[in-house]
Amino acid sequence: MDTAHRSFPILVALFVLLFGVTSSQPYEEFLQCLEFHDSNITSIVYTRANSSFSSLLESSIRNPRFDTSATPKPLLIFTPRQISHIQSAIRCSRAHRIQIRVRSGGHDYEGLSYSTISPSLTFLVLDLRNLRAIQVDVPSKTAWAQAGATLGELYYAIAAESKKSSTLAFPSGICPTVGLGGQISGGGWGTLLRKYGLAADNVLDTRVIDAEGRILDRASMGEDMFWAIRGGGGNTFGIVIAWKIKLVPVPASVTACTVTRTLEQNATEIVHRWQYVVDKLSNDVFFMVVLNRVVNPIQANATTIQASFNSLYLGSIEGLILMMEAKFPDLGLRRENCVEMSWAKSILYFAGFPLNSPLESLLDRTISATGSAKFKGKSDYVKEPIPISGFEGIWEKLKEVGVQTGGLILASYGGKMSEIPESSIPFPHRAGNIYQVEEVAFWVEDGVEAADGYLNWLRGLYEYMTPYVSKNPREAYANYRDLDIGRNGGGGEGDYRRARSWGSSYYKNNFDRLVRVKTAVDPANFFRNEQSIPPLSSWR
């Protein structure tokens, strides 16, 4: 750390704090302000001159698409070790007009937790990696988890505390390196959503630091703000520092299965039939279908389209096979397609780890779900089964890109998701949805031309899907952030009318309530990004 900053007089720091003086090196005044609050705090601040700056920034960039020389970089990275550090950062950022981007796991689909689309924006990254304590209380079936913890760390802690029975879980995502702060802030779905809903549906309390630097819990923030932070998007209402979550019961052994079918193996008809049964199955069953182009396993030098049916059942292999024989015999599920394991192990299974991977693999924060590939994702919701002709058109779109460079992921809905009202939390995608769709493109090539090719292909696929997905609005999932559907100004400056274009897609009728909450708790719009909820004052 550059120690030269420590020589500035406290009097100057106080003057800067009170009057917001700026200079050609704004981080110097920011550091002075921090030192005024805590003389040791600059040891956790990394400026661009620090030798660790680049490696620290890149360590949690999960999408190499936003790790280029052209990507706007933060002025500095701040890695708080205690809550008071965050309070100081908020106060000093406000004094010096430095925007805060909050990063817990680094999985923001558009890189907004550590970057921006505005090259001129002065911002810092508040990286929560040091705030990841987890306390599991097995008797009460609850846990407190700090926002910097990853899903993998949470699942491991739950498994470790309940290892004698292995019958507790938390209904959240399947990527172990996703941070809890962002996951729950956007909803958070996983293999238990048909049984227990989303991660955000299972939050009991929280600790949040607001724009004034105050620490709030559920009682002190009020029910409106508590409602908003559970699915209304991160970096909007305050900085979540911890969640109190409800743990849910699962069997000691669950069943995970994978069945693959190509076009030559009747994949089109099986996927088409899947739509008619998947949302009506027992709540104990979850299905995810991955559609992509692969090397043809039975014809040399040829490719085909493959549908991979991945399922989790809260019960035995025999029980699932009996159910599939009765409800979905077209799949042809067999015992050899399935493995029984603990629920925690099933996370590794769905994340693509080898079957013999130790549970400790959940603790590895360095693993990326896409490896070195760049990616872009979009999302949709299907309310009526897509006809066979519709899938045939999808196959043609997939044939336009290389093997496993583009695809669709279909996640089954129904069950508990249909029982929870749309207004229960900001996430509104409930009854009436058969499944969620993620359209995605992956590429390893560098350069703008290559990226534009894949992005244009993905946008073409998204356009093709228009007749088959939700309408008025065309719904989208907030955690699959997509700036194509609309955004605020480059620095996050909000405009109510402009924000409705994307806000109604993510939140439907809940958007207006989110705006009212934002107006009440952060009227100056201190917490903002290119898709944060704007206050009404920004419109007036």
Side-chain angles (χ1 to χ4, degrees):
M1 180 65 214
D2 184 355
T3 57
H5 305 304
R6 303 188 181 203
S7 63
F8 287 92
I10 291 294
L11 184 60
V12 174
L14 180 59
F15 183 80
V16 168
L17 173 65
L18 294 175
F19 299 104
V21 177
T22 60
S23 79
S24 60
Q25 296 292 340
Y27 69 84
E28 293 184 354
E29 282 80 19
F30 177 79
L31 288 173
Q32 293 174 54
C33 180
L34 289 179
E35 285 193 307
F36 176 76
H37 292 285
D38 184 337
S39 61
N40 297 315
I41 202 169
T42 52
S43 65
I44 55 174
V45 177
Y46 299 80
T47 69
R48 294 176 184 174
N50 191 288
S51 59
S52 299
F53 176 85
S54 293
S55 59
L56 180 62
L57 177 63
E58 294 166 4
S59 64
S60 292
I61 293 180
R62 307 298 181 181
N63 188 349
R65 179 178 159 218
F66 303 110
D67 187 15
T68 71
S69 59
T71 304
K73 305 296 191 296
L75 188 69
L76 53 88
I77 304 171
F78 187 58
T79 57
R81 293 196 180 99
Q82 56 196 47
I83 307 308
S84 62
H85 293 163
I86 302 177
Q87 294 173 295
S88 298
I90 289 173
R91 290 167 182 144
C92 294
S93 294
R94 291 186 65 177
H96 299 290
R97 298 179 177 87
I98 298 176
Q99 195 175 125
I100 291 179
R101 297 292 164 108
V102 183
R103 180 168 74 173
S104 54
H107 284 266
D108 189 291
Y109 267 40
E110 296 284 10
L112 300 187
S113 63
Y114 51 83
S115 188
T116 175
I117 63 171
S118 177
S120 62
L121 182 67
T122 301
F123 71 101
L124 67 85
V125 169
L126 198 155
D127 192 308
L128 299 176
R129 66 181 60 217
N130 295 325
L131 298 176
R132 59 179 196 261
I134 299 169
Q135 296 178 322
V136 178
D137 186 347
V138 173
S140 69
K141 297 182 176 60
T142 63
W144 272 103
Q146 288 188 311
T150 63
L151 296 182
E153 290 169 338
L154 173 63
Y155 297 154
Y156 183 84
I158 294 171
E161 289 297 323
S162 61
K163 58 186 176 182
K164 290 183 179 179
S165 59
S166 300
T167 57
L168 288 179
F170 182 64
S172 198
I174 59 176
C175 180
T177 57
V178 167
L180 274 174
Q183 172 80 349
I184 298 177
S185 293
W189 72 267
T191 57
L192 296 177
L193 88 163
R194 300 191 68 252
K195 183 71 172 182
Y196 296 112
L198 308 172
D201 292 321
N202 290 275
V203 172
L204 301 172
D205 204 343
T206 186
R207 296 289 184 273
V208 176
I209 302 179
D210 71 2
E212 302 295 329
R214 298 171 297 192
I215 301 175
L216 307 175
D217 61 7
R218 179 175 183 172
S220 57
M221 74 178 64
E223 288 301 303
D224 278 347
M225 185 173 175
F226 183 65
W227 173 85
I229 62 174
R230 293 174 296 147
N235 201 30
T236 291
F237 306 99
I239 298 175
V240 175
I241 52 179
W243 303 102
K244 183 180 182 181
I245 57 176
K246 178 174 64 176
L247 306 182
V248 298
V250 292
S253 179
V254 303
T255 296
C257 305
T258 298
V259 176
T260 59
R261 296 287 185 263
T262 64
L263 296 186
E264 296 77 12
Q265 297 168 318
N266 213 28
T268 306
E269 289 74 15
I270 298 173
V271 175
H272 179 252
R273 177 59 184 160
W274 174 84
Q275 301 176 106
Y276 289 87
V277 300
V278 69
D279 62 323
K280 303 173 184 64
L281 294 172
S282 162
N283 292 12
D284 292 331
V285 181
F286 167 79
F287 263 100
M288 182 171 69
V289 182
V290 180
L291 308 174
N292 59 8
R293 185 183 182 190
V294 299
V295 173
N296 196 317
I298 59 175
Q299 184 179 348
N301 302 316
T303 64
T304 187
I305 303 301
Q306 176 179 275
S308 178
F309 296 82
N310 308 284
S311 61
L312 181 77
Y313 175 57
L314 302 180
S316 66
I317 293 176
E318 289 76 12
L320 180 59
I321 290 177
L322 286 173
M323 186 187 304
M324 292 299 100
E325 287 176 346
K327 303 289 186 180
F328 189 25
D330 314 64
L331 183 61
L333 183 68
R334 299 180 179 179
R335 184 177 182 87
E336 55 263 33
N337 303 132
C338 304
V339 183
E340 291 184 358
M341 60 188 73
S342 69
W343 175 81
K345 278 276 193 176
S346 77
I347 297 298
L348 294 174
Y349 179 94
F350 274 87
F353 284 75
L355 283 176
N356 60 353
S357 298
L359 201 58
E360 286 74 17
S361 301
L362 290 170
L363 300 176
D364 190 344
R365 294 175 68 100
T366 66
I367 296 172
S368 172
T370 62
S372 60
K374 309 164 186 69
F375 74 92
K376 162 76 176 177
K378 303 176 82 65
S379 58
D380 272 310
Y381 288 86
V382 173
K383 300 177 183 294
E384 298 290 338
I386 297 175
I388 285 180
S389 61
F391 282 110
E392 291 172 341
I394 292 174
W395 307 155
E396 293 305 310
K397 298 298 293 184
L398 292 176
K399 290 175 184 177
E400 295 175 2
V401 289
V403 169
Q404 295 185 336
T405 58
L408 299 91
I409 302 171
L410 321 180
S412 61
Y413 267 50
K416 185 69 172 178
M417 291 296 286
S418 295
E419 300 169 11
I420 300 174
E422 285 192 0
S423 60
S424 176
I425 62 172
F427 180 99
H429 315 294
R430 305 292 186 170
N433 291 302
I434 304 174
Y435 55 94
Q436 177 196 75
V437 179
E438 180 183 8
E439 301 99 344
V440 65
F442 300 96
W443 65 97
V444 295
E445 300 93 331
D446 294 325
V448 174
E449 185 176 350
D452 285 347
Y454 286 100
L455 294 174
N456 289 335
W457 172 82
L458 181 64
R459 289 162 183 154
L461 173 63
Y462 185 75
E463 179 65 26
Y464 172 81
M465 294 292 292
T466 303
Y468 307 115
V469 298
S470 59
K471 301 171 181 64
N472 302 316
R474 183 169 182 173
E475 300 173 33
Y477 175 39
N479 271 352
Y480 293 164
R481 191 192 300 278
D482 180 9
L483 293 181
D484 288 349
I485 66 174
R487 59 178 177 84
N488 299 328
E493 295 83 4
D495 180 285
Y496 172 81
R497 289 170 293 187
R498 185 176 183 177
R500 280 199 66 87
S501 66
W502 55 265
S504 60
S505 293
Y506 290 147
Y507 308 114
K508 297 178 67 175
N509 292 332
N510 293 331
F511 176 73
D512 282 345
R513 184 179 176 188
L514 287 170
V515 170
R516 291 195 297 271
V517 175
K518 174 71 171 182
T519 304
V521 304
D522 185 18
N525 202 23
F526 174 69
F527 294 113
R528 64 186 186 272
N529 60 44
E530 287 83 344
Q531 273 192 350
S532 58
I533 302 295
L536 270 176
S537 54
S538 66
W539 179 39
R540 292 171 180 168

